[in-house]
Amino acid sequence: MNSQATDSWRQSADRDLILNAGPRFELLVRGEGSHLWDGEGRRYLDFLAGIAVTALGHSHPVFVEAVSRQAGTLAHVSNYFATPPQLELAARLKRLAGAGEDGRVFFGNSGTEANEAAFKLARLHGGAERPRILSLENAFHGRTIGALALTAKASMREPFEPMPGGVEHIPATIEALEAAMDDRVAALFVEPIQGEAGVLELPEGYLKVARELTTKHGALLIVDEIQTGAGRTGDWFGYQHEGILPDAITLAKGIGGGFPIGALVAFGPAAALLQPGSHGSTFGGNPLATAVSNAVLEEIEQAGLVRNARERGVQVREAIEGIGSPLVTGVRGRGLLIGVALAAPVASLVVSAAQRLGLIVNAANASSVRIAPALTIGDAEIAEFTDLFAAALAEVAATALTETNA
């Protein structure tokens, strides 16, 4: 693609797309495995996976076959009817999550929709006697109004206030949770790892204490697994690292491998809260989306990709630490959800330098780079990543640290 053509797509994007995401970085036209190509034929190593979405990488044969087969069979019928892929996926998610026979699944099309359903679940459980819903500082649960009320980011919330009432944001500490919890709390919403905040892990033992306190006070424990689920952290779901069972979890991103789907999985008595007419989704749980999700999750299971995420995550973190960049002050996360803490607020510069070199990563905030590659990566991809990321860090460090010390 020549410069005139490049100018043309940028002009089209500026003219025709709502600017909620800002200017697009590139025009990407093709993907295979952990690589993407732009309109000029340039190759990029994708270590973001569409923000923890393309769990199998790009154009994986299992994904392609599932889309093609189901599209030629049955794509949509509405939720007045059930379909085999929908029933199969509901049973699969219950099994993987340990929800038991009395668990139930609601399907939507995205993570924010799953959290909207969970918000309503909390309200139904709480009623007038339990008006309080707790969420954590630095939390991100989505951008629709209910999910945004749970999200503790003032810059996202303020233009759309007033938010739905009753939500309180507390520090992500055990002490703050103990102080806040009482019998008027309907639910506690938590992410096992706060991805949008820079891949911040909860304190050790937090989820166990949260489970104990919510049980004691009759509140729901709702775990947002949208970014951490589907094997990304080295277990199927983040809460499983602490051996607890929540009352509900929300899912999206990796469970579809690139196809839009979200889900709320409710456990025990919480599974009976949503009744006919209390919630719905025209497209949620359609046979095309659920067939693809079944295929993606089956491949993750059969190919041992949960274990691969656990082992390759250690390898990636060690590789980053081994670079020895003065710009890197720490490496956080679990499995293949990794945050790189920087010594200066230059994450966007690191991301831009990496992209120029042919590497796609993400600035979760001004001083954190987020890394979330496909669960299928191996030695070759990690070696390529290490070289490219080291070069990007070196390019930025030479200027950034000089300016910081001046």
Side-chain angles (χ1 to χ4, degrees):
M1 183 179 291
N2 58 35
S3 59
Q4 183 176 358
T6 301
D7 290 342
S8 178
W9 80 256
R10 292 190 188 279
Q11 290 166 358
S12 295
D14 290 344
R15 180 186 65 239
D16 299 332
L17 298 178
I18 286 178
L19 299 178
N20 61 303
R24 271 48 173 189
F25 295 144
E26 264 304 340
L27 182 69
L28 300 176
V29 300
R30 183 169 70 88
E32 182 179 340
S34 287
H35 290 94
L36 291 161
W37 284 261
D38 66 19
E40 297 179 339
R42 188 163 181 232
R43 191 181 81 160
Y44 300 83
L45 177 65
D46 182 7
F47 257 50
L48 185 58
I51 313 180
V53 169
T54 52
L56 303 182
H58 301 284
S59 303
H60 193 287
V62 165
F63 179 90
V64 173
E65 193 278 331
V67 172
S68 301
R69 172 174 38 82
Q70 191 61 41
T73 305
L74 185 66
H76 178 77
V77 294
S78 92
N79 281 303
Y80 290 121
F81 305 92
T83 64
Q86 180 192 61
L87 299 179
E88 181 182 347
L89 181 58
R92 185 187 300 275
L93 290 175
K94 286 173 54 178
R95 172 177 62 83
L96 295 175
E101 285 299 313
D102 55 353
R104 284 185 169 82
V105 181
F106 167 82
F107 290 113
N109 307 287
S110 66
T112 196
E113 286 185 46
N115 280 332
E116 287 285 340
F119 195 119
K120 291 175 98 173
L121 197 77
R123 285 280 176 85
L124 286 171
H125 175 70
E129 294 76 25
R130 294 177 174 272
R132 303 176 64 209
I133 295 175
L134 303 181
S135 181
L136 303 186
E137 293 178 358
N138 294 313
F140 179 82
H141 295 287
R143 295 176 185 268
T144 53
I145 292 296
L148 191 58
L150 298 168
T151 294
K153 292 181 179 289
S155 62
M156 293 181 181
R157 293 161 51 92
E158 287 173 355
F160 307 104
E161 290 179 339
M163 293 285 113
V167 178
E168 304 169 33
H169 298 104
I170 63 174
T173 66
I174 292 174
E175 294 77 14
L177 178 60
E178 290 173 336
M181 185 63 67
D182 63 24
D183 292 345
R184 299 176 69 248
V185 173
L188 167 67
F189 280 77
V190 296
E191 303 159 271
I193 299 174
Q194 295 180 323
E196 295 296 319
V199 191
L200 301 179
E201 299 173 74
L202 293 175
E204 185 175 353
Y206 187 96
L207 286 177
K208 286 185 178 180
V209 174
R211 178 69 286 181
E212 293 167 1
L213 288 173
T214 50
T215 299
K216 175 183 177 180
H217 290 282
L220 299 182
L221 175 59
I222 300 175
V223 182
D224 181 335
E225 293 276 1
I226 290 163
Q227 195 161 159
T228 52
R232 178 147 297 276
T233 65
D235 215 329
W236 273 104
F237 305 106
Y239 67 86
Q240 292 172 335
H241 292 286
E242 293 210 27
I244 61 115
L245 283 178
D247 296 292
I249 60 174
T250 54
L251 306 171
K253 290 188 181 290
I255 69 168
F259 204 97
I261 185 170
L264 166 71
V265 183
F267 300 57
L273 289 170
L274 287 170
Q275 292 293 312
S278 60
H279 198 50
S281 170
T282 297
F283 295 104
N286 68 74
L288 181 53
T290 51
V292 175
S293 182
N294 271 315
V296 169
L297 294 176
E298 183 176 17
E299 178 65 12
I300 291 173
E301 194 165 20
Q302 291 187 351
L305 297 183
V306 177
R307 178 179 178 180
N308 196 61
R310 183 166 59 249
E311 295 176 350
R312 298 301 184 180
V314 172
Q315 195 174 345
V316 172
R317 287 194 294 275
E318 289 177 347
I320 295 168
E321 291 166 349
I323 291 170
S325 171
L327 197 55
V328 174
T329 60
V331 184
R332 304 183 290 257
R334 190 187 287 265
L336 288 174
L337 182 58
I338 297 168
V340 182
L342 303 178
V346 292
S348 61
L349 298 180
V350 173
V351 168
S352 295
Q355 186 178 310
R356 288 194 299 273
L357 292 164
L359 171 65
I360 295 174
V361 289
N362 165 249
N365 57 40
S367 57
S368 301
V369 172
R370 175 171 44 184
I371 295 163
L375 308 187
T376 53
I377 62 167
D379 291 339
E381 290 84 2
I382 294 173
E384 184 181 2
F385 161 79
T386 304
D387 290 343
L388 294 173
F389 195 52
L393 290 169
E395 179 180 319
V396 175
T399 303
L401 295 180
T402 300
E403 292 178 351
T404 300
N405 295 328

